[in-house]
Amino acid sequence: MSQNHPYLGLQLPSNAPFELKPSHGKGWGAFATRKIERGAKILEEKPLFVIRKHHDEITEEDVRKTFQQSTPRGKQQFLSLRDNAARPFSSMNYAFAENSFALSDNPPKHGLFLIHSRFNHSCIPNCNVPSTNGEIIASFATRDIVAGEEITFCYNTDFECRTRGDRHQVLRFTCECKACLPGTLFQQLSDTRRTLIRGLQYLTLGRDLDGQRQGSESPIIIDSQLKKAAENLAIQVSARLVYNLLVMSLLDEEELMNDFMIGRMYPGILILSTLFKTEGNARLARLAMEQKTWLEKLCVAFRLWGRGDVVDYGIALQLRMIHGPS
Ligand SMILES: C[S@@+](CC[C@H](N)C(=O)[O-])C[C@H]1O[C@@H](n2cnc3c(N)ncnc32)[C@H](O)[C@@H]1O
């Protein structure tokens, strides 16, 4: 059946390091045809077409109109899309939603991408969420990928803070990656690590994933005084550094540490480590950051635990200015 599947008509770049083929239990997917080194570009792709609206405002009529304006080849490629490689999509709007990526929020812009949309999801992926540059999107290997391995990215940006059950509710399919396989030690630890990361994020940002405060019915932080201190952005700089390094160590254990994650988190941690004004604290923070691994940095930073610094009050003031009044 896969010999005459419409996806075989999708044109890959001549140097693409992957092929499209059936992926067990996941429709079709992209599989490496040779070793792809960490950091290497996997695919750069232009959209088949673009719709300039917020995704929840895009209608069947919008997609139909844009489709009508496409070239005959574009039309044929759009019509070759299948709902998880099986049946034709029930509507053009649904086909667009399942095969598009946001290009910008302001002004809103979504592009339909034929090839990147064939990449399946993993909660421990080996590829970044395709990054945008104008209307072009690109994906890179976040670790070495061996020939034959499936190329995956994580469909949601906050999954490092969500447990398996939580993730599956959002995904609407059952992921079977290493972090999702029930009955394994890794999976149990994964849920614990991701819950801890969510709590540590609450402690440093004073807000939950959705930007909200937790009600008492969702006790990620059960110590009410600590929760209040977090919400008032009054957590000491020493504790902030420890919480941040603990997040990095947990991400490392979870196999989610990669150049994109480092790029997102490290600059803030580095700034934090230079804020200490008390000499002994400043020395310890420097020593922590000089260590090689995240765990080693964390172990040294633990020696700062509970040590107040003259900068604590100033940081709270600055953060309140950034985050607004609590
Ligand atoms: C954007 S498509 C990915 C390509 C799709 N497999 C295909 O054949 O066209 C997203 C759909 O693929 C399936 N999928 C993606 N990742 C999956 C996973 N880890 N486990 C099971 N199904 C998955 C789901 O049906 C999902 O709605």
Side-chain angles (χ1 to χ4, degrees):
M1 196 180 80
S2 58
Q3 282 96 319
N4 50 15
H5 194 280
Y7 285 173
L8 292 172
L10 296 176
Q11 206 171 353
L12 303 183
S14 57
N15 60 349
F18 63 88
E19 61 182 341
L20 300 178
K21 61 178 188 178
S23 172
H24 183 69
K26 306 182 216 168
W28 275 43
F31 290 80
T33 46
R34 55 178 186 262
K35 181 179 176 190
I36 309 174
E37 291 200 359
R38 174 181 173 155
K41 190 183 283 178
I42 296 175
L43 174 66
E44 196 170 79
E45 191 180 9
K46 285 186 192 156
L48 184 66
F49 52 70
V50 168
I51 297 185
R52 285 159 215 280
K53 275 191 169 185
H54 278 292
H55 73 97
D56 50 1
E57 290 170 355
I58 297 173
T59 63
E60 183 72 11
E61 191 48 28
D62 293 325
V63 184
R64 194 173 296 281
K65 262 197 208 150
T66 318
F67 170 80
Q68 296 298 359
Q69 290 157 6
S70 290
T71 60
R73 168 117 182 106
K75 282 184 182 147
Q76 182 237 319
Q77 298 244 292
F78 182 75
L79 293 174
S80 74
L81 294 173
R82 294 286 176 273
D83 190 353
N84 201 22
R87 65 205 78 76
F89 281 98
S90 53
S91 71
M92 283 199 163
N93 199 3
Y94 181 35
F96 184 80
E98 282 285 292
N99 291 279
S100 62
F101 289 80
L103 292 169
S104 102
D105 279 342
N106 194 11
K109 220 187 206 190
H110 283 77
L112 184 120
F113 292 90
L114 296 164
I115 312 297
H116 270 111
S117 299
R118 306 283 65 73
F119 290 16
N120 285 317
H121 161 89
S122 170
C123 306
I124 307 189
N126 52 19
C127 165
N128 67 308
V129 179
S131 49
T132 52
N133 182 2
E135 290 195 351
I136 295 191
I137 63 171
S139 49
F140 300 85
T142 50
R143 58 173 168 76
D144 287 350
I145 301 174
V146 297
E149 197 179 338
E150 178 161 13
I151 299 169
T152 54
F153 67 90
C154 183
Y155 284 3
N156 286 64
T157 49
D158 61 14
F159 271 13
E160 72 272 13
C161 305
R162 292 192 185 271
T163 56
R164 175 184 184 272
D166 220 4
R167 296 196 297 276
H168 286 190
Q169 262 185 11
V170 178
L171 287 171
R172 291 175 288 133
F173 56 79
T174 306
C175 178
E176 291 185 350
C177 74
K178 192 170 160 183
C180 288
L181 268 190
T184 63
L185 187 58
F186 188 94
Q187 199 289 312
Q188 284 170 20
L189 286 172
S190 167
D191 271 5
T192 306
R193 283 192 282 260
R194 290 182 195 230
T195 306
L196 276 170
I197 292 172
R198 183 167 178 176
L200 290 163
Q201 184 161 299
Y202 198 92
L203 288 176
T204 50
L205 299 177
R207 295 283 186 276
D208 204 1
L209 299 179
D210 48 9
Q212 302 294 311
R213 288 186 172 176
Q214 286 165 14
S216 50
E217 73 286 355
S218 171
I220 298 265
I221 311 291
I222 51 171
D223 179 327
S224 60
Q225 272 187 347
L226 185 61
K227 187 163 169 280
K228 196 100 214 107
E231 287 164 355
N232 291 336
L233 301 168
I235 298 282
Q236 285 178 339
V237 66
S238 50
R240 281 184 185 281
L241 186 63
V242 169
Y243 294 154
N244 276 291
L245 291 174
L246 185 49
V247 166
M248 298 304 258
S249 307
L250 291 164
L251 289 170
D252 212 5
E253 283 290 305
E254 193 64 7
E255 299 174 20
L256 288 177
M257 190 52 80
N258 58 56
D259 298 342
F260 290 90
M261 195 65 92
I262 291 173
R264 197 172 105 195
M265 318 264 299
Y266 191 57
I269 298 177
L270 208 52
I271 292 174
L272 204 57
S273 73
T274 62
L275 292 179
F276 292 88
K277 292 278 179 276
T278 310
E279 205 189 309
N281 287 351
R283 203 176 46 245
L284 266 179
R286 266 197 311 276
L287 187 65
M289 298 309 285
E290 279 164 17
Q291 304 305 304
K292 205 162 152 243
T293 67
W294 294 109
L295 189 59
E296 284 161 357
K297 290 185 207 302
L298 172 67
C299 288
V300 175
F302 258 132
R303 285 153 61 188
L304 282 161
W305 185 255
R307 292 168 67 135
D309 197 281
V310 283
V311 80
D312 286 341
Y313 179 67
I315 285 204
L317 279 185
Q318 278 178 31
L319 288 172
R320 266 182 217 135
M321 276 166 65
I322 296 167
H323 294 285
S326 48

